[in-house]
Amino acid sequence: MAILVTGGAGYLGSHTCVELLNAGYKIVIVDNFSNSKPESLKRIKNITGKDFNFYNIDILNKDSLREVFSENNIDAVIHFAGLKAVGESVEAPLKYYHNNITGTIILCEVMEEFNVNRIVFSSSATVYGVPETVPILEDSTLYATNPYGRTKLMAEEIFKDMYKSNPNWSIALLRYFNPIGAHESGEIGEDPNGIPNNLMPYITQVGVGKLNELMVFGNDYATSDGTGVRDYIHVVDLALGHLKALEKVMQEPGVEAYNLGTGKGYSVLEMVSAFEKAFGGNIPYKIVERRAGDIGECYADPTKAKQQLDWFATRGIDEMCKDSWRWQSKNPNGYAKDLKLV
Ligand code: NAD
Ligand code: UD1
């Protein structure tokens, strides 16, 4: 029996594959490298000393996906494959709806054909829109403020409808807060294309000298120092959350959403200070206008995941910064240097 990991070459997928292999799971990865590099797969093997089947396919290609299911005895799926850039989703909504929604539907259709009905899905805290209150509970109002967010919300609705129509489905919807950090080896990490949109990769690229200074998007929010507050979570804690969710979907049918966050929020300036400590230098920054669409404060109430999955985050902000920096300093150009196929 094996776990199929879609998007397993990506940032969150690669870390989850390492934890799955370390825990003794047999895995099969599919990825089309639309936002990742083959090198990450080589490094998963180096870190774990374990091998796995890999298919360079697009999940939109139903026949290729059928081949994966017929050649492997798939027991459950962890579905990371998706596009995730908010700004790009506003420019190219159809690309996002096609890849994220149609891709998910095709995957579920093939799962049904092969009688596989356990899935762990990558949702996002973005489904809470502008949160009414913090910390955010799973039963808060859900809505989206951009096409990317709408793909996550729609996918969640599709999964809920699937369970209503067939109660054999067993589905965990994991709503991630802000994953940062990297595996402690410094061998795998986040490797964004171009100039990073997100805070931590931007800061680490300032640290490594690829960017000059951080733009802090607004200091007039109703937060302790006026800058935006988020719930940053170590990517390895997040990966381990998938193993717990997998255990849950193996046990019993149902559809449940879980927040994967630490429950604690940090401001942009607090993140800059924490990173400076790990990095041992200064991160120059300037305050600029708010980023359009940004919210002031967003952090999780992770109680449900603790109660029902026996999962909670254990890695703090210093470890997140230290690990982000180790990855960036060991790999100033991410995976770009080595493009050899595994
Ligand atoms: P990522 O881009 O690093 O990984 C996604 C992987 O999926 C990439 O390797 C990409 O090549 C692959 N992929 C995309 N479309 C595909 C397709 N049609 N067929 C096959 N492979 C495909 O992103 P990530 O940060 O690892 O995020 C993983 C998932 O988690 C995504 O669904 C994302 O929306 C969601 N998520 C991420 C964050 C975050 O901050 N990183 C937060 C909330 C939710
Ligand atoms: C991003 C995504 C969101 C996703 C979330 C969790 C965008 C626009 N939104 O939002 O859909 O659900 O991650 O993965 O990408 N900041 C700066 N300067 C920068 C970058 C960020 O000041 O150069 C600030 C932001 O204003 C925010 C904080 O840092 O207050 C974190 O930003 P970011 O890492 O982009 O995450 P989110 O805003 O939560």
Side-chain angles (χ1 to χ4, degrees):
M1 291 305 228
I3 308 301
L4 173 64
V5 184
T6 74
Y11 175 43
L12 308 181
S14 57
H15 287 81
T16 303
C17 287
V18 165
E19 298 308 323
L20 286 166
L21 290 167
N22 282 344
Y25 286 97
K26 194 172 163 205
I27 65 169
V28 177
I29 299 181
V30 308
D31 205 297
N32 66 354
F33 298 126
S34 57
N35 196 38
S36 54
K37 304 266 178 1
E39 175 67 12
S40 72
L41 300 180
K42 210 162 100 181
R43 297 196 183 180
I44 295 172
K45 291 181 186 172
N46 289 346
I47 292 170
T48 60
K50 296 197 177 150
D51 208 353
F52 47 81
N53 288 348
F54 170 68
Y55 295 80
N56 181 348
I57 62 158
D58 192 316
I59 59 163
L60 290 160
N61 186 332
K62 201 169 192 174
D63 286 336
S64 306
L65 212 47
R66 284 193 179 111
E67 250 174 69
V68 176
F69 278 78
S70 58
E71 289 174 9
N72 299 276
N73 195 357
I74 304 293
D75 208 19
V77 178
I78 304 184
H79 179 33
F80 290 105
L83 300 173
K84 62 167 183 176
V86 174
E88 189 191 38
S89 81
V90 176
E91 304 291 317
L94 293 180
K95 180 176 166 183
Y96 272 68
Y97 290 126
H98 189 53
N99 195 78
N100 293 7
I101 301 291
T102 312
T104 299
I105 292 172
I106 289 172
L107 171 67
C108 292
E109 284 172 347
V110 176
M111 287 176 70
E112 276 192 325
E113 274 178 41
F114 285 83
N115 281 320
V116 179
N117 44 27
R118 298 160 172 150
I119 187 164
V120 176
F121 174 67
S122 295
S123 187
S124 167
T126 194
V127 298
Y128 297 116
V130 181
E132 284 157 356
T133 52
V134 283
I136 305 170
L137 281 160
E138 284 82 354
D139 59 5
S140 304
T141 309
L142 303 182
Y143 69 98
T145 57
N146 55 67
Y148 165 71
R150 241 174 317 272
T151 68
K152 293 296 175 192
L153 202 52
M154 282 183 195
E156 286 204 5
E157 295 300 330
I158 290 169
F159 282 119
K160 289 173 194 164
D161 287 339
M162 278 164 38
Y163 176 69
K164 264 185 225 153
S165 79
N166 175 359
N168 288 324
W169 274 100
S170 188
I171 303 163
L173 309 170
L174 302 185
R175 296 178 183 154
Y176 313 146
F177 281 68
N178 289 59
I180 61 167
H183 189 263
E184 62 177 0
S185 62
E187 288 295 303
I188 55 173
E190 188 172 10
D191 184 20
N193 284 325
I195 296 178
N197 294 314
N198 300 113
L199 181 65
M200 185 48 75
Y202 200 106
I203 294 181
T204 60
Q205 291 200 12
V206 173
V208 85
K210 290 178 80 174
L211 296 168
N212 292 331
E213 65 178 346
L214 172 70
M215 312 293 161
V216 175
F217 298 143
N219 66 350
D220 56 353
Y221 289 104
T223 60
S224 58
D225 60 22
T227 65
V229 165
R230 296 291 184 275
D231 186 339
Y232 298 94
I233 172 164
H234 196 295
V235 63
V236 173
D237 277 328
L238 193 89
L240 292 169
H242 291 73
L243 272 68
K244 292 291 194 181
L246 194 58
E247 284 171 27
K248 171 85 176 168
V249 298
M250 295 294 201
Q251 276 161 18
E252 54 188 1
V255 57
E256 288 291 340
Y258 298 99
N259 286 340
L260 295 190
T262 64
K264 189 161 170 31
Y266 288 92
S267 75
V268 176
L269 296 183
E270 284 171 335
M271 292 305 290
V272 170
S273 299
F275 182 78
E276 286 178 338
K277 205 162 82 180
F279 162 63
N282 286 333
I283 296 297
Y285 68 83
K286 78 168 173 227
I287 309 287
V288 299
E289 288 295 292
R290 290 183 178 193
R291 179 171 64 182
D294 262 2
I295 53 181
E297 211 172 10
C298 172
Y299 56 93
D301 182 330
T303 310
K304 184 177 175 188
K306 182 156 193 302
Q307 285 173 346
Q308 295 188 17
L309 303 180
D310 184 32
W311 172 90
F312 53 94
T314 62
R315 292 160 180 81
I317 207 71
D318 292 333
E319 194 168 348
M320 297 181 211
C321 290
K322 201 168 54 149
D323 291 339
S324 285
W325 176 237
R326 187 184 300 109
W327 153 253
Q328 181 73 76
S329 52
K330 275 181 86 169
N331 306 271
N333 296 314
Y335 295 116
K337 279 276 174 279
D338 188 343
L339 298 177
K340 281 194 296 271
L341 280 168
V342 285

